[in-house]
């Protein structure tokens, strides 16, 4: 699995803590982590929680990433922004129980976490425990198990509903504020990771045009 990590500007100082916790859990499971930034508070490319959502939509819909881990001070802003994107189903994860239930019941493709609120002593251990509950278990198995079938049915209904209420990602990219899009893809490693992993040529071509 290709897991993208996205950190916004207010929490960029904690980038290494989050990145290390994620890698510690998922790399032994055979997953790759692609850190799209921010890396430090002084990065030239600065991401807001709104940009986190747009970038999440771009990565998921182009299949450059299979799963996105993002967040902000409370996790709320990035969660709202990510869920405004087509085909993105993002959960707000604060503790390991949230992580487990989101993975088993909702089986989404992104999580948003708080990196300021409640982020105190041993916060990196909570991060690792959350990531384990997401990535060590097969998603969508249901909780309780006997409700797995109805939960899967509801996920399908939600997916169909979102398809009706959202534009496709290429339309989003073409109609969104282009300065916002340019700022969202300005990270120093964006091109390295994105073009090596993107599986949608139309989206890739459009992004090349924006970068040009």
């Amino acid at each position: 699995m290709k897991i993208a990590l996205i950190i916004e500007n207010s929490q960029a100082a904690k980038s290494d803590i989050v990145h290390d916790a994620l890698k510690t859990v998922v790399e032994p499971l055979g997953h790759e982590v692609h850190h799209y930034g921010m890396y430090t508070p002084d990065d030239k490319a600065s991401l807001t929680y709104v940009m986190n959502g747009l970038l999440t939509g771009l990565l998921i819909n182009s299949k450059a990433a299979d799963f996105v881990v993002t967040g902000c001070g409370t996790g709320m802003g990035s969660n709202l922004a990510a869920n405004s994107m087509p085909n993105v189903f993002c959960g707000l994860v604060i503790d390991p129980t949230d992580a487990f239930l989101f993975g088993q019941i909702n089986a989404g493709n992104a999580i948003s976490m708080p990196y300021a609120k409640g982020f105190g002593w041993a916060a990196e251990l909570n991060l690792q425990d959350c990531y384990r509950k997401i990535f060590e278990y097969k998603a969508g198995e249901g909780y309780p198990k006997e409700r797995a079938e109805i939960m899967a049915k509801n996920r399908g209904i939600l997916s169909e509903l979102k398809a009706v209420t959202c534009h496709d990602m290429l339309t989003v990219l073409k109609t969104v504020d282009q300065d916002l899009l340019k700022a969202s893809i300005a990270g120093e490693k964006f091109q390295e990771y994105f073009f090596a992993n993107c599986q949608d040529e139309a989206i890739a071509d459009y992004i090349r045009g924006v970068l040009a």
Side-chain angles (χ1 to χ4, degrees):
M1 183 185 293
K2 294 173 293 187
I3 302 169
L5 175 62
I6 307 171
I7 303 285
E8 52 90 66
N9 53 22
S10 76
Q11 303 307 310
K14 296 164 185 166
S15 179
D16 285 345
I17 296 173
V18 179
H19 190 203
D20 289 346
L22 183 59
K23 289 195 302 178
T24 295
V25 172
V26 304
E27 287 185 347
L29 299 173
H31 304 311
E32 301 174 57
V33 177
H34 297 159
H35 190 352
Y36 281 84
M38 293 174 65
Y39 308 102
T40 75
D42 300 320
D43 287 3
K44 291 181 180 179
S46 180
L47 293 170
T48 66
Y49 75 81
V50 179
M51 295 175 188
N52 285 5
L54 182 56
L55 187 51
T56 297
L58 173 59
L59 298 178
I60 291 294
N61 283 278
S62 67
K63 299 183 180 177
D66 302 304
F67 198 98
V68 172
V69 174
T70 188
C72 52
T74 64
M76 294 287 189
S78 292
N79 185 57
L80 290 169
N83 278 315
S84 72
M85 294 292 109
N87 299 312
V88 174
F89 299 91
C90 183
L92 177 64
V93 169
I94 298 172
D95 59 38
T97 303
D98 291 338
F100 178 76
L101 293 175
F102 175 69
Q104 295 305 295
I105 296 171
N106 308 107
N109 50 20
I111 59 170
S112 180
M113 301 186 73
Y115 300 129
K117 179 178 179 288
F119 200 92
W121 190 50
E124 76 281 4
L125 300 182
N126 181 64
L127 292 177
Q128 290 178 29
D129 287 343
C130 288
Y131 299 144
R132 287 190 183 95
K133 292 297 186 183
I134 287 281
F135 297 111
E136 286 186 348
Y137 293 86
K138 183 180 178 181
E141 292 290 280
Y143 186 85
K145 296 285 188 182
E146 58 267 22
R147 290 187 52 79
E149 184 176 347
I150 186 63
M151 290 171 179
K153 181 179 179 181
N154 284 331
R155 288 195 301 271
I157 294 170
L158 178 59
S159 181
E160 292 172 358
L161 176 62
K162 190 151 194 171
V164 171
T165 61
C166 287
H167 295 295
D168 65 277
M169 195 65 207
L170 188 57
T171 299
V172 172
L173 295 173
K174 289 179 177 179
T175 55
V176 73
D177 182 296
Q178 295 299 283
D179 289 335
L180 179 67
L181 176 57
K182 289 175 185 177
S184 299
I185 60 176
E188 64 179 89
K189 293 186 179 180
F190 173 82
Q191 294 188 52
E192 174 189 346
Y193 290 145
F194 178 75
F195 290 115
N197 294 285
C198 176
Q199 298 179 42
D200 188 305
E201 197 57 35
I203 289 179
D205 285 344
Y206 189 78
I207 294 298
R208 287 189 188 97
V210 172
L211 291 168

